[in-house]
Amino acid sequence: MMFVRLGALLMLGLLAGCARGLPPVDHGPVLTLSSEPDSFVMDQRRMQLDPESAYSAFQLLDTGRDAFTVRAALIEAASHRIDAQYYIWNDDASGRYLAGRLVAAADRGVQVRLLLDDINVAGKESLFAVMEAHPNIAIRIFNPSPSRSGVGRWLSFITDFDRINRRMHNKTFVVDGQVGIAGGRNIGDEYFDEDPQLNFRDRDVMVLGPLAAGMTDNFEAYWHNRWAYPLGQLYKLPESAKALDNLSRLSRQTTEPQAFKAALPQSRGSAEQLLETWFATMVQADGELVFDPPPEDPEAPANAPRATARALYGLIESARSDVLIESAYLILAETQLEGLDNLNNETLSVTAFTNSLATNDLVPNHSGYARWRRDMLEQGITLHELRPDAPACKRWITNHEACDQGMVSLHSKAVVFDRETLFIGSFNVNLRSIYLNGETALIIRSPQLARTVAEDIDDALKPENSWRVVLGSDGRIAWKSGDQEWHREPEVGFWRRAASRMLSWLPIEKYL
C-alpha cells in the first residue's frame, strides 16, 4: 500500500509539473520592417504589375514538383530576407535540401527566419539546431509543450489540453517581402511528389505584389507572439565548433548530386531564369489575404469561429449558384449545417470532395467526418470521396511510379464560389480549422483561376476518380461509381473500418 501511495504521489507530481507550462516570452519592442531595397523579385514586381493598381499576381502551384522547384528557386533568388512559417517541416530528403539552401542563402547575407508549430517538431530538433547556429538564421517554435520528450510530452496533452490544441496550422513562405507562397503544403517528400509510396494531392498559390506584405503581417503576428519561443530556450544547441561543422556539411550536401525527381535550379542565374517564366504567366486579380492571429490566451475557450472561418461564411452567404469544396478533412456539424439551412438561397448547390477511408492518412479524422456524413447528405450536400486507384493520380502527382506502387491522399484545401471566386490556403473545412487552429487563406476574385480549380475538381468527381456517397431508398449509406455500388466503406479491411466506426461514436470531432 505504501508503494501504491508513493507511486500516486510521484504521478501527481509529474502531472503538476507538466501542467505548469512555460512562462510566456517577452520579445521586446517590435521593430517595424523597412521596405526592401532593390532585388530580383522587386524588379519582377515592377515589370509585371502596374504600380498604380492594388491587384496582385497569382499562379497556382498544382503539382508537388512545381511547388518544390519554385520554393528552391525563390531561395536562390532571395537578396535580403526569407520568412517561412510551417506546421510541419520534415527531416527528410526534401526538408534537408531546402534547409541546406536556406543556410547557403544565410551565408551570402540573407536574413532567414523560420517559425514552426511545436506539435510536429519532436524528433527533428537536430536539423533545426544545426540551422539555428548560423548568425543569420533565427528559429522560433509556436506554443510548445513544456516537456520536450518521453512520457512527459504525452502527459502534457492531457494536463494542458486546451492550450495544446491551439495550433499554428498557417503555411507561408515569403521572399524579400515581395513574393510569397501560401496553401496547403507542408515541407516534406510526400508534399513534393518525392515519396515512393504516399504522396499528397495538394495546392499552393504563388503571389507577387501587395498581398505578399499581408503574408509578412501574418508571419510577424506569430513571430512576435509571446507563445513563440526561440529554439535555444527549448533545446540545448551544439557547441560552436561542432555547430559550424554541421552547418558546413548541411549546406555542402545540397551541392552534391541529388536523387530528386524534380530538376532543381543549380545556380542563382538558373533560378532567376526559371522564376521569370513563372512570373510572366501569372494572373493579375483582386485578392485578399485573411489569417487568424495567435490567441492572446491559448487556454481560453475556443467557441467562436475565427477570422478565416468568418470570411468563408461570408463567401457562402453571397454565393449565387454553386459552391465546390475540396477539403482533405471535412467535418460540418450541427451549427454549420443549420447555417446552410438558414441561407436565403434555395437553389444553391453545394458539392464536396474529400478523402475516403481508403485514402485518408488519419483514421481519426475520417471518423469525425463519418459521424456527420449522413447529416451532410440529408442537408443536400453532394459528397464524393477519393478512390485510391484514381487515374487522375498521374495528373496530380508527377511521380507516376508512386501512383502505381503506392497511393495518393487528398491534402488540398480550396473552395470555389460560382466559378468566379477562389478561397485557398491552409484551411480545412472542419471544426478544428473553424475554432482552434491558426489558418491562412487567400480570397482571389479571378474567374480564370476559379474555373481552373473548379474544372480540376470536376475531373476528380468522375466515377473513375471518386465514389459518390448517397442515401439509398432503404436509408443506408452507399458508395457509387458507375454501375457499381458498395454498402460499406470500399477498399479497406475490417479493422480499419472498425477503428473508424468506434471512433465515430466519440464526440471528439472538434479536435480532429
Side-chain angles (χ1 to χ4, degrees), residues 123-401:
K124 305 158 191 172
E125 307 92 335
S126 59
L127 172 62
F128 307 127
V130 169
M131 299 173 68
E132 175 72 12
H134 199 292
N136 288 337
I137 298 179
I139 300 176
R140 291 181 184 175
I141 308 298
F142 180 74
N143 196 14
S145 164
S147 297
R148 304 311 303 156
S149 62
V151 176
R153 183 169 174 84
W154 289 106
L155 285 175
S156 66
F157 285 87
I158 300 171
T159 60
D160 211 3
F161 185 78
D162 288 333
R163 184 180 68 82
I164 292 296
N165 267 291
R166 305 299 291 268
R167 304 317 323 169
M168 185 192 75
H169 195 242
N170 318 61
K171 305 172 181 76
T172 61
F173 186 90
V174 186
V175 171
D176 290 343
Q178 303 299 326
V179 61
I181 296 174
R185 286 186 179 90
N186 296 295
I187 303 298
D189 292 351
E190 63 269 36
Y191 301 96
F192 296 139
D193 299 357
E194 294 288 346
D195 192 279
Q197 290 295 321
L198 169 66
N199 287 278
F200 287 119
R201 193 293 181 264
D202 218 328
R203 294 183 197 276
D204 287 322
V205 180
M206 180 167 65
V207 181
L208 178 68
L211 285 193
M215 291 187 201
T216 299
D217 293 340
N218 177 127
F219 181 91
E220 293 288 332
Y222 282 85
W223 183 257
H224 296 290
N225 184 259
R226 58 184 185 152
W227 304 106
Y229 292 75
L231 188 74
Q233 287 189 216
L234 302 174
Y235 297 104
K236 183 179 179 180
L237 302 180
E239 297 177 0
S240 57
K242 184 177 180 181
L244 290 174
D245 183 58
N246 290 339
L247 272 171
S248 176
R249 185 182 303 112
L250 181 61
S251 178
R252 188 172 61 250
Q253 286 172 347
T254 64
T255 64
E256 298 170 355
Q258 304 291 322
F260 294 124
K261 302 287 185 182
L264 302 174
Q266 299 299 307
S267 66
R268 187 183 183 106
S270 62
E272 291 181 354
Q273 186 175 11
L274 183 149
L275 289 171
E276 285 173 353
T277 303
W278 279 94
F279 290 143
T281 57
M282 296 183 88
V283 176
Q284 296 187 37
D286 178 32
E288 178 184 354
L289 185 132
V290 183
F291 70 91
D292 301 313
E296 287 299 318
D297 179 7
E299 296 180 356
N303 298 324
R306 310 203 69 205
T308 49
R310 296 195 302 272
L312 180 61
Y313 291 170
L315 291 168
I316 292 173
E317 288 175 352
S318 62
R320 301 185 306 276
S321 59
D322 63 276
V323 177
L324 279 174
I325 300 171
E326 179 183 59
S327 184
Y329 312 119
L330 175 68
I331 302 175
L332 294 176
E334 184 175 5
T335 300
Q336 293 73 40
L337 294 175
E338 285 179 354
L340 285 175
D341 201 38
N342 292 331
L343 290 176
N344 189 25
N345 187 345
E346 295 181 357
T347 63
L348 185 65
S349 166
V350 180
T351 300
F353 173 51
T354 190
N355 275 304
S356 63
L357 181 56
T359 63
N360 204 315
D361 62 317
L362 298 169
V363 172
N365 287 41
H366 184 84
S367 73
Y369 156 72
R371 178 181 172 88
W372 290 94
R373 182 165 45 197
R374 176 180 294 275
D375 297 80
M376 287 189 275
L377 291 169
E378 290 175 347
Q379 177 65 37
I381 298 174
T382 301
L383 289 180
H384 287 257
E385 297 178 6
L386 175 62
R387 295 179 57 140
D389 59 348
C393 179
K394 291 188 177 180
R395 184 168 58 80
W396 299 332
I397 308 298
T398 52
N399 183 358
H400 291 175
E401 293 178 3

Side-chain angles (χ1 to χ4, degrees), residues 16-173:
C18 291
R20 280 196 296 269
L22 294 166
V25 180
D26 180 4
H27 295 293
V30 176
L31 299 177
T32 302
L33 294 174
S34 59
S35 59
E36 294 291 354
D38 282 353
S39 66
F40 165 75
V41 292
M42 175 63 87
D43 291 341
Q44 288 297 309
R45 174 175 175 170
R46 293 193 187 101
M47 291 173 59
Q48 305 297 337
L49 293 171
D50 180 351
E52 302 300 319
S53 172
Y55 280 10
S56 292
F58 303 92
Q59 179 66 272
L60 293 170
L61 302 177
D62 258 343
T63 69
R65 185 167 298 177
D66 285 344
F68 189 20
T69 304
V70 169
R71 281 173 171 83
L74 286 172
I75 293 173
E76 301 307 316
S79 297
H80 308 291
R81 190 174 84 241
I82 298 174
D83 294 330
Q85 176 186 25
Y86 281 98
Y87 182 62
I88 297 173
W89 190 300
N90 283 337
D91 186 4
D92 56 12
S94 59
R96 291 187 70 82
Y97 179 84
L98 292 178
R101 296 321 297 160
L102 288 175
V103 171
D107 284 343
R108 63 175 188 268
V110 176
Q111 299 297 313
V112 176
R113 295 186 296 178
L114 179 58
L115 181 59
L116 302 169
D117 187 81
D118 181 59
I119 203 74
N120 291 289
V121 167
K124 305 158 191 172
E125 307 92 335
S126 59
L127 172 62
F128 307 127
V130 169
M131 299 173 68
E132 175 72 12
H134 199 292
N136 288 337
I137 298 179
I139 300 176
R140 291 181 184 175
I141 308 298
F142 180 74
N143 196 14
S145 164
S147 297
R148 304 311 303 156
S149 62
V151 176
R153 183 169 174 84
W154 289 106
L155 285 175
S156 66
F157 285 87
I158 300 171
T159 60
D160 211 3
F161 185 78
D162 288 333
R163 184 180 68 82
I164 292 296
N165 267 291
R166 305 299 291 268
R167 304 317 323 169
M168 185 192 75
H169 195 242
N170 318 61
K171 305 172 181 76
T172 61
F173 186 90

